[in-house]
Amino acid sequence: MALDGKIALVSGSGQGVGQGIAFALARAGAKLVLFGRTKSKLVTTKGTIEKRGGEALVVAGDVCNASDLERAVDAAVEKWGGIDILVNNAQQVPNGPLLDVTDEAFELGFKSGPLAILRLMKLVQPIMKERGGGVIFNLVSSAGIRWDMSGFGAYGSVKQAIRPLTSAAASEWGRDHIRVLSIAPHAKSPGLERWIEKNPEEAEAFFRTIPLGKIGECEEDIGCAVVGLCGPEFSYLTGATIPLDGGQANFD
C-alpha cells in the first residue's frame, strides 16, 4: 500500500474531516495516532480502522494543552518509533459578527489554532528529520478570503494566521526533506452541518458557487487527496495552500 510503514498523527480525528483523513491514511497502510478531546469518538474511529485491517492508537487530549501535545507525540514514538505524517486539523474557531466575538473566543481560536499548530510542528520536526523527512498538513479555510467577510472576520483571521506558519516551516525545513502544506477543504463535517442549519439561505447561495456542484466527502474527497499529496508524485510540492473545495475558492 502507498503509505505502508508510515506513522501518522491526526488531531481532531474523532469526527468530520479529521476522521475522514485518518480513515484514508489507514486504508493506504499508515499506522494512526488518533488525537482529540473526546475519547469515545476516537475509540469509534479506531474501531472502524481496525475492522478494515488497520492499526490505530488513541490519545485523548486538548490541543490547547502543551503537555497533551507532547504526550501524543511521545506515544507515537514509544509505540511505533516516530511520526512521518502530521495532520493539524483540530481547532476551535470564533464565529459571528465582530461585535459579538468575545476576547475569550478570539484568544481560544489562536491558542487552539496557530499556537497549537506551531507547537506540534516543532515537536515533530526533529523526529521527521531523523527519519529522513515527512509531510505536515495544516488545515485552513477559504473563510479568510471571502468576497464578503461579514460574520467571518475573527474566524478568517485565525485561519489566515496558519498560512504563514506553513510557508515558514516549508522554507526552513525543506532541506530536511520535510514538506509542509495548507489544505482548505469543504466537506460534510458536523461543523458544516451546524452552519447550514443556522444559515440556510447563505449556505444555499454559497454552495451554488462551487463549480463541481457538490460538497466533498470527508474520506473519499479530502482524505484520499491527503494520501495522494503524501506520495512521491508530489515530492516537489511544499509551502502551498491546496483548496480541496470543488474549485470554489481562489487563493491567488
Side-chain angles (χ1 to χ4, degrees):
M1 292 185 284
L3 300 180
D4 192 29
K6 301 295 185 182
I7 299 99
L9 192 162
V10 182
S11 70
S13 43
Q15 63 182 11
V17 172
Q19 184 184 64
I21 292 173
F23 285 158
L25 290 170
R27 191 170 63 182
K31 297 178 176 66
L32 267 295
V33 180
L34 307 171
F35 181 75
R37 289 185 298 170
T38 308
K39 185 174 181 179
S40 59
K41 293 180 179 180
L42 300 175
V43 169
T44 299
T45 302
K46 173 182 166 71
T48 300
I49 288 173
E50 291 179 341
K51 284 179 183 178
R52 296 177 176 184
E55 296 182 69
L57 172 69
V58 166
V59 181
D62 190 340
V63 292
C64 293
N65 189 318
S67 61
D68 285 354
L69 300 179
E70 292 175 6
R71 186 163 49 84
V73 172
D74 289 345
V77 173
E78 181 179 351
K79 177 76 172 179
W80 287 308
I83 295 174
D84 304 292
I85 301 163
L86 170 64
V87 180
N88 284 308
N89 166 68
Q91 183 181 352
Q92 299 180 58
V93 292
N95 286 311
L98 295 179
L99 291 176
D100 295 339
V101 176
T102 65
D103 288 357
E104 292 76 16
F106 198 54
E107 290 176 352
L108 181 59
F110 278 94
K111 189 175 182 181
S112 64
L115 179 56
I117 285 172
L118 178 59
R119 285 171 168 168
L120 264 178
M121 290 199 301
K122 290 166 70 175
L123 286 170
V124 305
Q125 190 273 345
I127 298 169
M128 289 183 172
K129 180 178 179 179
E130 184 178 353
R131 290 171 68 83
V135 190
I136 298 172
F137 296 94
N138 298 325
L139 270 72
V140 298
S141 173
S142 59
I145 58 168
R146 287 171 56 90
W147 60 95
D148 178 359
M149 289 299 298
S150 301
F152 291 90
Y155 179 13
S157 296
V158 169
K159 283 298 190 179
Q160 283 292 82
I162 295 168
R163 296 177 65 203
L165 292 175
T166 296
S167 299
S171 298
E172 294 173 13
W173 304 340
R175 297 299 175 91
D176 301 322
H177 306 290
I178 298 171
R179 296 189 293 117
V180 191
L181 297 166
S182 293
I183 60 172
H186 288 333
K188 297 175 182 176
S189 66
L192 181 67
E193 291 172 358
R194 288 193 295 270
W195 179 72
I196 293 172
E197 185 177 344
K198 292 180 179 179
N199 307 278
E201 294 183 4
E202 183 181 358
E204 183 180 352
F206 180 77
F207 297 149
R208 284 199 299 267
T209 68
I210 300 176
L212 289 183
K214 67 168 188 173
I215 297 295
E217 299 291 339
C218 290
E219 179 178 357
E220 292 81 357
D221 294 314
I222 311 306
C224 288
V226 168
V227 170
L229 290 166
C230 288
E233 297 86 356
F234 290 94
S235 62
Y236 203 50
L237 178 63
T238 193
T241 297
I242 312 296
L244 300 176
D245 61 0
Q248 190 271 339
N250 180 4
F251 282 88
D252 293 339

